[in-house]
Coordinates of all heavy atoms in Angstrom, one line a residue:
E145 N 40.5 117.4 137.8 CA 39.1 117.2 137.7 C 38.8 115.7 138.2 O 38.9 114.7 137.5 CB 38.6 117.2 136.2 CG 38.9 118.6 135.6 CD 38.1 119.7 136.0 OE1 37.0 119.4 136.9 OE2 38.4 120.8 135.8
V146 N 38.3 115.6 139.4 CA 38.3 114.5 140.2 C 37.5 113.4 139.5 O 37.7 112.3 139.6 CB 37.7 114.7 141.6 CG1 37.6 113.4 142.4 CG2 38.6 115.7 142.4
T147 N 36.3 113.8 138.8 CA 35.5 112.7 138.3 C 35.5 112.7 136.6 O 34.9 111.9 136.1 CB 34.1 112.9 138.7 OG1 33.6 114.2 138.3 CG2 34.1 112.8 140.2
E148 N 36.2 113.6 136.0 CA 36.2 113.8 134.5 C 36.6 112.5 133.9 O 36.2 112.2 132.7 CB 37.1 114.9 134.2 CG 36.9 115.3 132.6 CD 35.6 116.0 132.4 OE1 34.9 116.3 133.3 OE2 35.3 116.0 131.2
W149 N 37.6 111.8 134.5 CA 38.1 110.6 133.8 C 37.0 109.6 133.6 O 37.1 108.7 132.6 CB 39.2 109.9 134.7 CG 38.6 109.6 136.2 CD1 38.6 110.4 137.2 CD2 37.9 108.3 136.5 NE1 37.9 109.8 138.3 CE2 37.6 108.7 137.9 CE3 37.7 107.1 135.9 CZ2 36.8 107.7 138.7 CZ3 37.0 106.4 136.7 CH2 36.7 106.3 138.1
H150 N 35.8 109.5 134.4 CA 34.8 108.7 134.2 C 34.0 108.8 132.9 O 33.3 107.9 132.5 CB 33.8 108.8 135.4 CG 32.9 107.7 135.6 ND1 31.7 107.6 135.0 CD2 33.0 106.4 136.1 CE1 31.1 106.4 135.3 NE2 32.0 105.7 136.0
R151 N 34.2 109.9 132.2 CA 33.6 110.2 130.9 C 34.3 109.2 129.7 O 33.6 109.0 128.7 CB 33.7 111.6 130.5 CG 32.9 112.5 131.4 CD 33.4 114.0 131.2 NE 33.1 114.4 129.9 CZ 32.0 115.0 129.7 NH1 31.0 115.3 130.6 NH2 31.7 115.5 128.4
D152 N 35.4 108.8 130.0 CA 36.2 107.9 129.0 C 36.0 106.5 129.5 O 36.7 106.0 130.4 CB 37.6 108.5 129.0 CG 38.3 107.8 127.8 OD1 38.1 106.6 127.4 OD2 39.2 108.5 127.3
K153 N 35.3 105.7 128.6 CA 35.1 104.3 128.9 C 36.5 103.6 128.9 O 36.6 102.5 129.7 CB 34.1 103.6 128.0 CG 32.7 104.3 128.1 CD 31.8 103.4 127.1 CE 30.4 104.0 127.4 NZ 29.5 103.3 126.5
Q154 N 37.4 103.9 128.1 CA 38.7 103.2 128.1 C 39.5 103.4 129.3 O 40.1 102.3 129.9 CB 39.6 103.7 126.8 CG 40.8 102.8 126.7 CD 41.6 103.4 125.5 OE1 41.1 104.2 124.7 NE2 42.7 102.7 125.1
V155 N 39.3 104.6 129.8 CA 40.0 104.9 131.2 C 39.4 104.1 132.3 O 40.0 103.6 133.2 CB 40.1 106.3 131.3 CG1 40.6 106.7 132.9 CG2 40.9 107.1 130.3
V156 N 38.0 104.1 132.3 CA 37.3 103.3 133.3 C 37.8 101.9 133.2 O 37.8 101.3 134.3 CB 35.8 103.5 133.1 CG1 35.0 102.6 134.1 CG2 35.5 105.0 133.3
R157 N 37.8 101.3 132.1 CA 38.2 99.9 132.0 C 39.6 99.7 132.5 O 39.8 98.7 133.3 CB 38.0 99.4 130.6 CG 36.7 99.1 130.0 CD 36.7 98.4 128.8 NE 37.4 99.0 127.8 CZ 36.8 99.9 126.8 NH1 35.5 100.1 126.9 NH2 37.4 100.5 125.9
L158 N 40.6 100.5 132.1 CA 41.9 100.4 132.6 C 42.0 100.5 134.2 O 42.6 99.7 134.9 CB 42.7 101.5 132.0 CG 44.3 101.6 132.5 CD1 45.0 100.3 132.2 CD2 44.9 102.8 132.0
C159 N 41.2 101.5 134.7 CA 41.2 101.8 136.2 C 40.6 100.7 136.9 O 40.9 100.4 138.0 CB 40.6 103.1 136.5 SG 41.6 104.6 135.9
T160 N 39.6 100.0 136.3 CA 39.0 98.9 137.0 C 39.8 97.7 137.1 O 39.9 97.1 138.1 CB 37.7 98.6 136.2 OG1 36.6 99.6 136.1 CG2 37.0 97.3 136.8
T161 N 40.6 97.4 136.0 CA 41.5 96.3 136.1 C 42.6 96.6 137.1 O 42.9 95.6 137.9 CB 42.2 96.2 134.6 OG1 41.2 95.9 133.6 CG2 43.1 95.1 134.7
L162 N 43.1 97.7 137.2 CA 44.2 98.1 138.2 C 43.7 98.0 139.6 O 44.4 97.6 140.4 CB 44.7 99.5 137.8 CG 45.4 99.6 136.5 CD1 45.9 101.0 136.3 CD2 46.7 98.8 136.4
T163 N 42.4 98.4 139.7 CA 41.9 98.5 141.2 C 41.6 96.9 141.5 O 41.8 96.7 142.7 CB 40.5 99.2 141.1 OG1 40.8 100.6 140.7 CG2 40.0 99.2 142.6
W164 N 41.1 96.2 140.6 CA 41.0 94.7 141.0 C 42.3 94.2 141.4 O 42.5 93.3 142.3 CB 40.5 93.9 139.8 CG 38.9 93.9 139.7 CD1 38.1 94.4 138.7 CD2 38.0 93.6 140.7 NE1 36.9 94.4 138.8 CE2 36.7 93.9 140.2 CE3 38.0 93.1 142.0 CZ2 35.5 93.6 140.8 CZ3 36.8 92.8 142.7 CH2 35.6 93.1 142.1
L165 N 43.4 94.4 140.6 CA 44.8 93.9 140.9 C 45.2 94.5 142.3 O 45.9 93.7 143.1 CB 45.8 94.5 139.8 CG 45.7 93.7 138.6 CD1 46.5 94.3 137.4 CD2 46.1 92.1 138.9
L166 N 44.9 95.7 142.6 CA 45.2 96.2 144.0 C 44.4 95.4 145.1 O 45.0 95.2 146.2 CB 45.0 97.7 144.1 CG 45.9 98.7 143.7 CD1 45.5 100.0 143.9 CD2 47.2 98.5 144.5
A167 N 43.2 95.0 144.8 CA 42.5 94.3 145.8 C 42.9 92.8 146.0 O 42.6 92.3 147.1 CB 41.0 94.3 145.4
V168 N 43.5 92.2 144.9 CA 43.8 90.7 145.1 C 44.6 90.4 146.3 O 44.4 89.4 146.9 CB 44.6 90.3 143.8 CG1 45.3 89.0 144.0 CG2 43.6 90.2 142.7
P169 N 45.8 91.2 146.7 CA 46.6 90.9 147.9 C 45.7 90.8 149.2 O 45.8 89.9 150.0 CB 47.7 91.9 148.0 CG 47.8 92.3 146.4 CD 46.4 92.3 145.8
C170 N 44.8 91.7 149.2 CA 44.0 91.9 150.4 C 43.0 90.7 150.5 O 42.8 90.1 151.6 CB 43.2 93.1 150.3 SG 44.1 94.7 150.4
V171 N 42.5 90.3 149.4 CA 41.5 89.1 149.3 C 42.2 87.8 149.7 O 41.9 87.0 150.5 CB 40.9 89.0 147.9 CG1 40.0 87.6 147.9 CG2 40.0 90.2 147.7

Side-chain angles (χ1 to χ4, degrees):
E145 301 292 346
V146 178
T147 60
E148 189 68 15
W149 57 273
H150 196 261
R151 297 164 61 92
D152 189 326
K153 292 183 178 179
Q154 186 177 355
V155 174
V156 173
R157 284 195 297 270
L158 172 64
C159 292
T160 299
T161 299
L162 295 173
T163 302
W164 279 120
L165 284 170
L166 271 180
V168 166
C170 297
V171 173

